[in-house]
Structures are given as structure tokens and as C-alpha cells.
Amino acid sequence: MSDKLEFTHEVQKIAGFSKALSHPVRVYILKKLSKMNTCCYSGDLVEELPVGRSTLSQHLKELKYAGLIQGEINPPYIKYCINRKNWEEAKKLFTSFLEDSETEPEICEIHDVSSHRK
Amino acid sequence: MSDKLEFTHEVQKIAGFSKALSHPVRVYILKKLSKMNTCCYSGDLVEELPVGRSTLSQHLKELKYAGLIQGEINPPYIKYCINRKNWEEAKKLFTSFLEDSETEPEICEIHDVSSHRK
DNA sequence: AAAACATTTCGTATATTTGCGAAATAACAA
DNA sequence: TTGTTATTTCGCAAATATACGAAATGTTTT
């Protein structure tokens, strides 16, 4: 019959958050913001990241779009911080997704299929 | 001074795993393999996913490259299953990354900067 | 040997991502 | 008003990702 299912909301959300996390610059920003637990200026970030201002701005936009950060305008600065609500949601989604299964896996790794790229 | 740091191994690994998880098809496959705790044929997967065989093969290759699945050749089939070792590693990385910070965040959300895309 | 089967690779097309510098925006300072 | 500062948007180029069908691969069955 080949039902060709649509993806659940959960699957789509995990993919969406993962996309936001799929670049080292964005992981770095989130790690910093979540751990320091305070806000951060775009200008401070550009000092320590190997990208230009406009590129950083694009990454911040991406993170805003994903809902993982939010900004407070404080002219002429913009302070960024973690969006705690969605950060929690991401945490729950990933935790549940990556949870161990209850039972042990059956043996399934005698031949390790090559995994080269290209 | 602008040190332009290089990214830590941890940051790069999180970005790498996230990239593997950044497509609904791949999230679906991993969810299925990790929960059912057994192996799965490519032919079984293509029945329930809205992509063609060659596209599915690309996604499986991507997951193999990221180390999240492994395949056992069982001609003319290939059985896929979770790579438990790396799955555990991903779990640890994401859990630590998404962990709550110890203290409460300072208020930082009076103006919610618009987050439209394009 | 030839046919059947599951899967991958190849070639190609299109879309998205990433990056930069220049210009635009917006608020404040002189 | 003019200039300064912080940030974003625009326009563009290059790289990567996604998707498909056709052809190739490798194994088993006939």
C-alpha cells in the first residue's frame, strides 16, 4: 500500500531544532548563552568567532527563527539571550528522542558496511 | 585582539550530530531504529517514507557517515540498526549541552525582536 | 548463463546554506 | 545637522543538500 506517512510534529520539531544546531558557530553561541545565563551583545560575539558581522547576524537570525534565542533592544546595542521556554522544549524533545530503549539490541554488526562520503 | 578561536571538539561533534538529525526522514529512521531495538531493511523503510529509493539511500549514507547507524549485509538485503556506542555519545553530548544552568536568567525579554525569515 | 532482487552510485536539476563587503537602518553624541 | 556606533539587510558567489530516474553492483534463483 505504501502509505507515505506525513511526519509527526515531534519529528519535525526535532529536525528543526537540529538544523539550528547544525553549525559550530550556532552551537558555540547557544552554549555560551545557556551557560553564562545572561545576555550578550553581537559585538562581543564577533570578537571571538571566526566570521564577519553580517554572517554572525545571519546565524543569530537563524537561532531567533528556531526560537532558541531572543533579543532585547538596548540602543545602540542588542542583547541576546536564550529563550528558556523553547530551550526547555528542545531539551525534552532531545532527551526523549535519545533515550535508551528498554531492552538490549540484537547482535547486528558483524560486517560493518563502509561509510565513506562520496 | 579578536582571538578568532577554533571550535572545541565538543562543539564540532554536537554540530555534526545535529546535521545528521536535521532532516525529518533521518529523524524518523533513527527514532524507529532506536525504539524498535532491532534492525530494519531499506526496502521496509522506503514503503513508509515519502522519498524514493535512491534518496533514502543517500539519507542512510549520511547517517552512517555520522556514525549513528550501522549496516549488516545479508544479501541481497542490508539490515540497518543503531550504532549504540555513538548513539550513547550523542545522548551524553546533547544532555550536557541542553542542561539547565544553575541560576535563573536575568530578565531579558521586554522587546521581542522580530524573527521573521527573509 | 540469464533473470530477479535489493541496494547503491551516477548524472543532473533545483534549493538552501554559508560567507563576504557594501549599503541601509536606527539611535545617540557632538 | 553631521558624525559615530551597532547591527541588519542586500546583492552576490560558492558550497552543500535534496531529490529523482537510470544505470551499475552484487547476490541468489532458475
Side-chain angles (χ1 to χ4, degrees):
Chain A
M1 292 279 98
S2 69
D3 268 75
K4 303 302 183 188
L5 58 82
E6 265 322 289
F7 297 110
T8 62
H9 231 76
E10 190 209 354
V11 165
Q12 295 191 67
K13 276 192 172 175
I14 291 173
F17 281 135
S18 295
K19 196 158 83 170
L21 292 173
S22 70
H23 192 289
V25 164
R26 296 195 291 266
V27 173
Y28 179 88
I29 293 168
L30 288 172
K31 190 178 165 71
K32 174 151 187 161
L33 290 182
S34 68
K35 299 294 184 213
M36 72 192 277
N37 223 343
T38 177
C39 303
C40 208
Y41 301 111
S42 168
D44 296 341
L45 288 168
V46 85
E47 293 292 318
E48 47 192 304
L49 286 171
V51 290
R53 286 169 199 282
S54 59
T55 305
L56 174 60
S57 196
Q58 280 288 121
H59 285 303
L60 290 168
K61 186 171 159 188
E62 204 71 28
L63 290 174
K64 271 187 288 185
Y65 175 74
L68 290 172
I69 66 172
Q70 58 196 162
E72 180 194 357
I73 297 173
N74 207 323
Y77 299 92
I78 296 180
K79 265 161 82 170
Y80 286 104
C81 45
I82 287 286
N83 182 322
R84 291 286 158 189
K85 181 174 151 294
N86 291 331
W87 187 251
E88 273 305 305
E89 194 196 354
K91 187 192 177 179
K92 276 173 195 146
L93 279 171
F94 278 101
T95 300
S96 142
F97 178 66
L98 292 159
E99 217 156 47
D100 293 326
S101 319
E102 321 77 53
T103 54
E104 277 302 299
E106 60 178 69
I107 311 307
C108 175
E109 49 186 309
I110 300 152
H111 312 275
D112 207 359
V113 171
S114 72
S115 57
H116 299 302
R117 237 191 172 181
K118 274 217 181 85
Chain B
M1 299 272 99
S2 69
D3 268 78
K4 303 304 184 190
L5 59 80
E6 266 320 289
F7 297 109
T8 62
H9 230 75
E10 191 208 353
V11 165
Q12 295 191 66
K13 274 191 174 176
I14 291 173
F17 281 135
S18 295
K19 196 158 84 169
L21 292 173
S22 70
H23 193 289
V25 163
R26 296 195 291 265
V27 173
Y28 178 89
I29 293 169
L30 288 173
K31 189 178 164 73
K32 175 152 186 161
L33 289 183
S34 69
K35 299 293 184 216
M36 72 193 276
N37 223 342
T38 178
C39 302
C40 209
Y41 301 109
S42 169
D44 295 340
L45 287 168
V46 85
E47 293 291 319
E48 45 192 304
L49 286 171
V51 289
R53 284 168 201 283
S54 59
T55 303
L56 175 60
S57 195
Q58 282 287 122
H59 285 302
L60 290 167
K61 186 172 160 187
E62 203 72 29
L63 290 174
K64 272 188 287 185
Y65 175 75
L68 291 172
I69 65 171
Q70 60 197 159
E72 180 193 358
I73 297 172
N74 207 320
Y77 298 92
I78 297 180
K79 262 162 81 171
Y80 286 105
C81 44
I82 288 284
N83 182 322
R84 290 287 157 189
K85 182 175 149 291
N86 292 329
W87 187 252
E88 273 304 306
E89 194 196 354
K91 187 193 177 178
K92 276 173 195 144
L93 280 170
F94 278 102
T95 300
S96 142
F97 178 66
L98 292 161
E99 216 156 46
D100 292 326
S101 320
E102 320 78 49
T103 54
E104 278 301 299
E106 59 178 69
I107 311 307
C108 174
E109 49 186 308
I110 300 150
H111 312 274
D112 207 0
V113 171
S114 71
S115 57
H116 298 302
R117 236 192 171 180
K118 274 224 181 79

